[in-house]
Amino acid sequence: MVGGVEEHLTVGRVAELAGVSVRTLHHYDDIGLVRPSARTTAGYRAYSAGDVERLREVLGYRRLGFGLREIADLVDDPATDAVAHLRRLRGLLQEQRDRAAAMVTAIDKELEARAMGIRTTPEDQLKVFGAQLYEAIGSAYPATRRNEPRIAARIWDALGDARTVLNVGASTGSYEPPDREVMAVEPSAVMRAQRPAGAAPCVAASAERLPFADQSFDAAMAVSTVHHWPDPVAGLREMRRVARRVVVFTYDASTTGWLQRFWLTRDYLPEFADLLTGWPSLADMTHAIGGHAEPVLIPWDCADGFFEAHWRRPEAYLDEQVRRAVSVWARVGPQAEQRAVDSLRDDLSSGRWAEHNRDLLALDTAELGLRLLVA
């Protein structure tokens, strides 16, 4: 604001700052996508702060490959504010980064193979361009990711008297209650293909756009999946829309000192903090479903091999098969992973890990930030 009057940017200045042509901005105006709300005294288009905010969203989606009609639907959605758009764009960019990281890893492996005179198969060469995060880690899930009975009991109890349950981000089907009518939603073809015979029917869809009418289910559940969603708050709102009850097993990264709770992130993998930059707070997530949060303690012998599961069994993190089934390792990248593993191996061998974490050895459960959201 200048002298109480809102300052506007000329179309030329906006084009310069945004790295697009004036012709592009004129086109967006002509089709009603981004219409500048003012004119200069000379009659040129002028953009207010609100216009620039909308343009930023349009350009963000455009550079992610969305078509103009899709973008119009997204930015015109009255239920999505500027913060929600930023979170969605951040999530989509993270997903794009994860795909790129998977491609770099695959290319590095092929370069190593070729340096040794080994030629990869045509199938492997083409897989580089189809790699996605779940596709990269999904094949390891059946070996290490399964129901932990004590966590399953908490989830199933929270479902209450629900007879029909929607499992969102269902993966291979862990934690789906066997005594209720379940419908699953899973965007990854690799995960859907690994669902066991007799598992609940599963449709390909995203959490943010569930293909069901309002209140179609008694309950909707989501287990260890929200951190993969491009827009977690939008997905949680969708769960609330399609079900009268919502149960979510997730992680709280909003408590002061949260990175210090777990020795692995504190001492070996500080990059974990970068993965949750912009992650919605626990308050945001509980507000999205209109519910409350309950702490979930992790037993020392947890059967489900998620990231925090081996808190009292540090040797497990040296096992590549264990790491491959956890998205954190794929997302931090191979250099951070190798550094963390090498450092942990050294500390286990020297006794430093045991010395620094001796108090853990007497615990049967640990509070590591896992939460059950219930509405």
Side-chain angles (χ1 to χ4, degrees), residues 22-339:
V22 170
R23 182 178 179 180
T24 295
L25 296 179
H26 286 175
H27 178 60
Y28 288 171
D29 184 6
D30 292 340
I31 64 175
L33 189 58
V34 183
R35 283 185 169 147
S37 56
R39 296 273 173 170
T40 67
T41 54
Y44 295 111
R45 294 169 172 85
Y47 291 76
S48 68
D51 301 333
V52 169
E53 188 172 83
R54 182 180 174 94
L55 176 62
R56 178 193 62 195
E57 293 160 2
V58 168
L59 294 176
Y61 289 121
R62 188 66 175 144
R63 289 171 186 176
L64 282 163
F66 285 80
L68 293 181
R69 289 185 180 179
E70 290 179 293
I71 293 172
D73 290 339
L74 288 168
V75 297
D76 287 334
D77 181 2
T80 306
D81 60 15
V83 173
H85 279 298
L86 286 174
R87 284 179 172 154
R88 177 184 290 158
L89 285 167
R90 185 180 185 280
L92 290 168
L93 286 166
Q94 278 187 315
E95 184 179 357
Q96 189 177 75
R97 180 196 64 189
D98 293 337
R99 290 197 190 101
M103 288 177 66
V104 168
T105 299
I107 289 170
D108 285 345
K109 288 181 179 179
E110 179 168 350
L111 287 172
E112 291 174 7
R114 292 199 175 214
M116 294 184 289
I118 302 170
R119 292 295 297 270
T120 55
T121 67
E123 290 84 356
D124 286 337
Q125 292 173 28
L126 290 176
K127 284 178 182 176
V128 171
F129 298 99
Q132 295 181 23
L133 179 60
Y134 260 167
E135 273 61 12
I137 68 175
S139 59
Y141 260 60
T144 63
R145 303 300 297 272
R146 59 182 71 90
N147 277 13
E148 162 47 54
R150 287 155 288 193
I151 295 177
R154 290 281 304 275
I155 293 170
W156 297 345
D157 183 63
L159 291 173
D161 61 355
R163 300 308 309 164
T164 58
V165 178
L166 178 68
N167 187 16
V168 182
S171 185
T172 58
S174 295
Y175 298 101
E176 290 178 358
D179 58 344
R180 316 191 195 209
E181 182 182 337
V182 178
M183 170 65 73
V185 168
E186 172 53 53
S188 168
V190 168
M191 292 298 186
R192 294 196 304 272
Q194 293 183 88
R195 291 176 63 82
C202 186
V203 299
S206 66
E208 294 86 350
R209 293 186 179 182
L210 295 174
F212 305 103
D214 294 357
Q215 302 295 293
S216 295
F217 300 91
D218 295 332
M221 59 181 279
V223 178
S224 298
T225 179
V226 175
H227 54 286
H228 290 301
W229 300 353
D231 189 341
V233 170
L236 292 170
R237 287 174 177 164
E238 272 287 87
M239 291 179 68
R240 189 59 175 165
R241 178 185 66 80
V242 302
R244 62 177 177 82
R245 191 172 187 85
V246 176
V247 178
V248 178
F249 182 52
T250 188
Y251 184 80
D252 174 20
S254 57
T255 306
T256 302
W258 64 271
L259 192 65
Q260 306 301 310
R261 283 185 301 224
F262 186 22
W263 56 263
L264 183 56
T265 57
R266 181 191 67 214
D267 300 333
Y268 302 97
L269 202 66
E271 292 86 355
F272 182 69
D274 297 333
L275 304 184
L276 296 177
T277 301
W279 174 249
S281 69
L282 191 66
D284 289 337
M285 291 190 285
T286 54
H287 179 72
I289 62 172
H292 66 278
E294 304 171 1
V296 179
L297 302 183
I298 307 305
W300 75 270
D301 56 348
C302 183
D304 188 353
F306 51 76
F307 183 58
E308 299 84 0
H310 306 287
W311 60 270
R312 214 181 85 176
R313 297 168 287 168
E315 296 82 2
Y317 295 105
L318 305 182
D319 186 339
E320 184 173 4
Q321 187 177 42
V322 168
R323 299 197 306 274
R324 288 291 70 78
V326 177
S327 63
V328 168
W329 298 104
R331 295 178 66 190
V332 297
Q335 289 185 335
E337 177 182 4
Q338 193 61 56
R339 188 210 66 243

